[in-house]
Amino acid sequence: GVDQFEESGKTVFGFWMITKPRKTSNAILTYHVPRSEIGTDRGEYALYWQKQSGTDGDQLHVSTKLSNDARVTSSSPNIQFIGNTMVYDAELSVDRILQFKTAEK
């Protein structure tokens, strides 16, 4: 199971995953922003992905589907937009923050 809780104003997810030596594992988390929080900062969104101590170079893939009536007005570097989907790929060797701002079309 996945633990989900609030800490220091952040939504936190935690879980254990056992991976055998020289093998890889994948985890897919699906999260929907509560409607009450959408657009609270004038369409500004941020995802802070924190590197876990002791890990080195895990691959990070984030995709976010935006509403059809949203257009992106600014975003962090290296974020790609394909239609109404935001895609970000990186190596998680350091903490990463993804930010983008939307406005209605």
Side-chain angles (χ1 to χ4, degrees):
V2 176
D3 293 326
Q4 178 183 339
F5 55 94
E6 297 290 322
E7 184 177 293
S8 301
K10 300 175 187 171
T11 303
V12 178
F13 299 93
F15 57 93
W16 285 95
M17 179 183 290
I18 298 172
T19 304
K20 293 182 180 184
R22 299 187 207 275
K23 299 292 181 180
T24 61
S25 297
N26 294 309
I28 298 173
L29 299 175
T30 302
Y31 176 72
H32 297 275
V33 177
R35 266 222 185 270
S36 61
E37 295 181 21
I38 294 175
T40 55
D41 293 315
R42 300 179 189 250
E44 294 179 17
Y45 300 89
L47 174 64
Y48 181 59
W49 203 277
Q50 210 164 4
K51 178 191 175 300
Q52 183 175 347
S53 298
T55 62
D56 189 33
D58 292 336
Q59 293 299 307
L60 174 64
H61 172 81
V62 178
S63 64
T64 301
K65 186 172 182 178
L66 305 172
S67 67
N68 289 330
D69 61 341
R71 66 179 172 83
V72 176
T73 58
S74 64
S75 67
S76 298
N78 302 322
I79 293 178
Q80 297 178 349
F81 290 90
I82 303 166
N84 66 337
T85 301
M86 176 201 81
V87 178
Y88 179 79
D89 290 294
E91 187 175 271
L92 196 55
S93 53
V94 296
D95 294 351
R96 303 283 182 181
I97 187 162
L98 305 164
Q99 295 177 307
F100 60 97
K101 187 173 182 176
T102 63
E104 290 185 23
K105 286 184 180 179

